[in-house]
């Protein structure tokens, strides 16, 4: 019935959103729709939204405009986090026909009875307390890597964050389901799986908010390590208080988990960590970094950090800067604090001027460049394995080593989605690493 109908997707935000968009897209394909690129003419455009920063809200409007440029009669659907938090706001954007919140987005095809444009967007969003069922998802965006969702929602009450309001309580997939999804991914010839979720270290809380952990994150990691056909597993982002020494030890000896951790810090000041209602203090973070480097000296460690949180004085910012500078970390993801409605942080004193936030952000981004460069330099001379990506980037092919060093080589389509042993040699002027093949282009996998 939908054989000649085309659908296109646009994803804002995190890896979890990408995995969910992929799953929603497969539901359309199963109903007979043809999936096309977002810059092509389609009958339906689905935009998966994000609410983490101010900017994501504004971008939604421009994405709707670009879709309507392709087809002014297209049926426009907004789903995801911003759709849950501010459904009416999205529905009032010119051209939007349907807005689906946290629980409804996976049933989007059942809301499309006819594709007649609406004068004002129709809204289906639940009270967030009702977002308690778990829906599994994984994305296959390219041929080399897939994002596999294992957990959703969050029970933490960080004062700056809207994610619990947008995604509901912490809940997890079953081990059996995760393993099944992992097998499906590996059968498609994809070599690397990135585990994703809102708070994956909290893995194990059951569906419908059952607080009893059926399984721990460590048990999940151990089971995934046994799945045949998976060549690489990467943990996307895990809270420092939930990353246990046993997990670090296991990863160091694992056959498929790679030595790469992304651990949110948010601030290097205990005073601010308390105001943010984070569940650890700085020493916990220091302990994690030291433990990882003790058992995996070449491990890559990425850090999330927020600048401009209310009450962040120059002294407290420098405390964060100096702390990060001293730590044996590899790169930073820097977020500029933005006020989010219905969060505790908007009521706090000590608002940091926007210009000061921007300056601090620039300083930390500069530090990140320095840290990544130092990490890459420390890896020169090492022999490692690289998985090549599928894109021709101006005559070069890129790849990532197990410990997340980005390498480049003249474009060769035969290398796409293959794993090779290489020796890292020099850093190019664009900051990427050159290498020699250990055995002349004989793929390991």
């Amino acid at each position: 019935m939908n054989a000649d109908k085309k659908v296109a997707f646009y994803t804002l935000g995190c890896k979890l959103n990408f995995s969910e968009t992929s799953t929603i897209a497969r539901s359309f394909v199963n109903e007979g729709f043809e999936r096309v690129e977002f810059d092509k003419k389609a009958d339906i455009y689905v935009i998966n939204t994000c609410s983490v920063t101010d900017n994501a809200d504004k971008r939604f409007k421009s994405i709707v405009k670009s879709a309507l440029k392709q087809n002014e009669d297209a049926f426009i659907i907004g789903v995801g986090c911003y759709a849950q938090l501010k459904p009416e706001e999205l529905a009032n954007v010119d051209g939007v026909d349907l807005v689906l919140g946290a629980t409804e987005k996976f049933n989007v095809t059942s809301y499309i009875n006819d594709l007649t444009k609406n004068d004002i967007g129709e809204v289906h969003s639940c009270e967030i307390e009702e977002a308690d069922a778990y829906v599994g998802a994984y994305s296959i965006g390219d041929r080399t890597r897939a994002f596999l969702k294992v957990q959703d929602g969050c029970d933490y009450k960080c004062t700056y964050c809207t994610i619990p309001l947008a995604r509901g309580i912490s809940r997890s997939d079953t081990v059996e389901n995760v393993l099944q999804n992992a097998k499906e991914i590996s059968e498609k010839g994809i070599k690397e799986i990135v585990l994703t979720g809102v708070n994956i270290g909290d893995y194990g809380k059951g569906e419908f908010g059952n607080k009893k952990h059926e399984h721990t994150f460590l048990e999940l990691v151990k089971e995934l390590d046994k799945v045949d056909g998976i060549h690489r597993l990467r943990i996307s982002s895990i809270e420092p208080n939930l990353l246990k020494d046993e997990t670090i030890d296991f990863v160091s000896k694992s056959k498929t988990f790679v030595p790469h951790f992304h651990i949110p810090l948010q601030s290097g000041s205990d005073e601010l960590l308390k105001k943010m209602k984070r569940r650890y203090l700085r020493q916990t973070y220091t302990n994690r970094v030291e433990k990882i480097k003790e058992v995996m000296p070449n491990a890559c460690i990425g850090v999330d950090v927020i600048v401009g949180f209310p009450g962040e004085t120059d002294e407290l910012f420098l405390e964060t800067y100096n702390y990060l500078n001293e730590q044996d970390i590899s790169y930073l993801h820097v977020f500029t604090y933005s006020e989010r409605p219905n969060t505790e942080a908007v009521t706090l004193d000590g608002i940091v001027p926007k210009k000061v936030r921007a300056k601090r952000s620039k300083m930390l981004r500069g530090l990140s460049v320095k840290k990544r460069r130092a990490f890459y330099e420390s890896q020169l001379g090492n022999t490692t394995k690289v998985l090549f990506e599928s894109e021709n980037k101006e005559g070069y092919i890129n790849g990532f080593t197990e410990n997340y060093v980005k390498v480049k080589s003249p474009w060769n389509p035969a290398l796409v989605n293959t794993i090779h042993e290489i020796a890292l040699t020099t850093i190019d002027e664009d900051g990427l690493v050159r290498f020699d093949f250990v055995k002349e282009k004989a793929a390991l996998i």
Side-chain angles (χ1 to χ4, degrees):
M1 116 187 174
N2 300 309
D4 56 345
K5 294 275 189 259
K6 294 183 168 69
V7 61
F9 297 86
Y10 196 103
T11 307
L12 289 159
C14 62
K15 290 169 181 167
L16 184 56
N17 269 6
F18 278 92
S19 75
E20 293 183 341
T21 299
S22 260
T23 297
I24 293 165
R26 286 194 290 276
S27 72
F28 272 93
V29 172
N30 293 342
E31 297 270 341
F33 287 86
E34 181 193 339
R35 183 177 183 179
V36 296
E37 292 300 315
F38 201 81
D39 59 1
K40 300 286 185 286
K41 186 174 181 181
D43 301 283
I44 299 175
Y45 291 90
V46 180
I47 303 164
N48 193 356
T49 62
C50 166
S51 69
V52 171
T53 64
D54 241 359
N55 196 23
D57 304 357
K58 295 187 183 97
R59 282 186 63 198
F60 178 76
K61 287 178 183 168
S62 65
I63 295 158
V64 171
K65 270 187 191 156
S66 66
L68 292 171
K69 264 187 197 149
Q70 300 299 332
N71 178 6
E72 61 181 25
D73 299 320
F75 195 83
I76 309 279
I77 304 171
V79 301
C81 291
Y82 193 43
Q84 175 64 39
L85 286 175
K86 297 281 184 72
E88 275 74 24
E89 218 165 278
L90 288 199
N92 286 326
V93 172
D94 277 353
V96 173
D97 299 291
L98 181 64
V99 176
L100 299 178
T103 57
E104 292 81 7
K105 62 189 171 194
F106 293 107
N107 305 318
V108 57
T109 54
S110 62
Y111 286 98
I112 305 168
N113 301 319
D114 72 88
L115 299 181
T116 312
K117 296 284 293 168
N118 293 322
D119 292 339
I120 189 160
E122 189 183 319
V123 172
H124 296 275
S125 75
C126 63
E127 291 301 317
I128 198 59
E129 291 74 27
E130 293 163 29
D132 57 3
Y134 183 84
V135 179
Y138 61 84
S139 81
I140 298 173
D142 61 36
R143 287 164 55 189
T144 53
R145 182 181 298 116
F147 298 115
L148 172 57
K149 173 181 167 185
V150 300
Q151 182 274 343
D152 200 349
C154 189
D155 294 338
Y156 285 13
K157 300 285 186 284
C158 301
T159 53
Y160 52 80
C161 186
T162 57
I163 288 172
L165 302 172
R167 283 187 169 269
I169 55 174
S170 178
R171 55 211 188 270
S172 312
D173 210 343
T174 61
V175 168
E176 298 72 32
N177 217 26
V178 173
L179 296 180
Q180 181 55 40
N181 284 339
K183 285 190 182 100
E184 282 177 27
I185 292 166
S186 68
E187 282 161 9
K188 289 174 166 59
I190 289 163
K191 303 280 197 296
E192 179 172 307
I193 293 176
V194 183
L195 301 185
T196 183
V198 174
N199 187 356
I200 62 174
D202 202 29
Y203 175 83
K205 284 184 180 166
E207 207 176 21
F208 308 115
N210 170 4
K211 293 296 175 229
K212 182 172 156 286
H213 281 247
E214 295 295 319
H215 297 279
T216 63
F217 182 66
L218 178 60
E219 284 169 340
L220 177 70
V221 163
K222 285 179 172 173
E223 289 304 312
L224 278 166
D225 201 48
K226 297 175 192 165
V227 176
D228 286 337
I230 300 176
H231 303 288
R232 280 187 175 185
L233 283 156
R234 205 177 284 278
I235 297 167
S236 63
S237 178
I238 185 165
E239 294 283 307
N241 51 307
L242 295 174
L243 176 57
K244 304 296 185 207
D245 284 356
E246 297 83 357
T247 305
I248 295 168
D249 281 327
F250 182 79
V251 167
S252 73
K253 301 181 187 80
S254 150
K255 68 180 203 294
T256 48
F257 277 90
V258 295
H260 174 206
F261 295 88
H262 192 91
I263 314 168
L265 169 69
Q266 310 309 16
S267 174
S269 150
D270 281 348
E271 185 182 324
L272 288 180
L273 288 172
K274 287 174 188 169
K275 277 190 173 178
M276 291 175 171
K277 293 198 175 163
R278 300 292 286 159
R279 297 197 176 190
Y280 54 87
L281 295 175
R282 196 169 79 173
Q283 189 58 45
T284 299
Y285 203 93
T286 307
N287 296 347
R288 292 300 171 270
V289 172
E290 285 174 355
K291 172 68 181 175
I292 290 166
K293 288 293 183 173
E294 177 198 322
V295 294
M296 291 172 270
N298 292 312
C300 178
I301 302 174
V303 186
D304 286 343
V305 61
I306 293 171
V307 296
F309 187 79
E312 185 184 61
T313 59
D314 286 345
E315 292 73 25
L316 293 181
F317 169 70
L318 285 173
E319 206 178 312
T320 294
Y321 186 94
N322 293 332
Y323 175 74
L324 287 166
N325 195 24
E326 288 156 16
Q327 291 300 305
D328 193 357
I329 55 164
S330 317
Y331 64 89
L332 305 172
H333 282 174
V334 183
F335 297 89
T336 305
Y337 171 74
S338 63
E339 285 78 1
R340 311 307 292 147
N342 303 318
T343 58
E344 197 181 320
V346 296
T347 66
L348 297 177
D349 295 334
I351 293 168
V352 178
K354 292 264 168 65
K355 272 187 181 162
V356 177
R357 295 182 210 184
K359 183 180 156 201
R360 290 175 185 171
S361 173
K362 196 173 173 187
M363 281 177 71
L364 282 183
R365 285 174 210 277
L367 179 61
S368 181
V369 169
K370 191 178 109 181
K371 283 287 185 185
R372 194 185 297 269
R373 176 84 188 195
F375 175 62
Y376 282 7
E377 282 175 358
S378 76
Q379 298 305 299
L380 297 180
N382 287 356
T383 298
T384 183
K385 290 180 191 145
V386 67
L387 170 60
F388 288 103
E389 311 261 295
S390 54
E391 216 180 320
N392 182 340
K393 297 217 169 155
E394 295 171 359
Y396 288 92
I397 189 168
N398 294 148
F400 283 97
T401 64
E402 292 168 312
N403 62 342
Y404 215 54
V405 173
K406 193 173 185 180
V407 305
K408 67 185 283 196
S409 184
W411 171 253
N412 176 355
L415 292 176
V416 169
N417 199 31
T418 60
I419 293 176
H420 290 257
E421 199 164 355
I422 60 167
L424 302 175
T425 55
T426 56
I427 300 176
D428 222 4
E429 61 266 17
D430 60 4
L432 304 189
V433 180
R434 298 284 197 151
F435 60 87
D436 294 327
F437 286 98
V438 171
K439 295 174 186 140
E440 193 44 45
K441 293 195 180 170
L444 298 169
I445 296 156

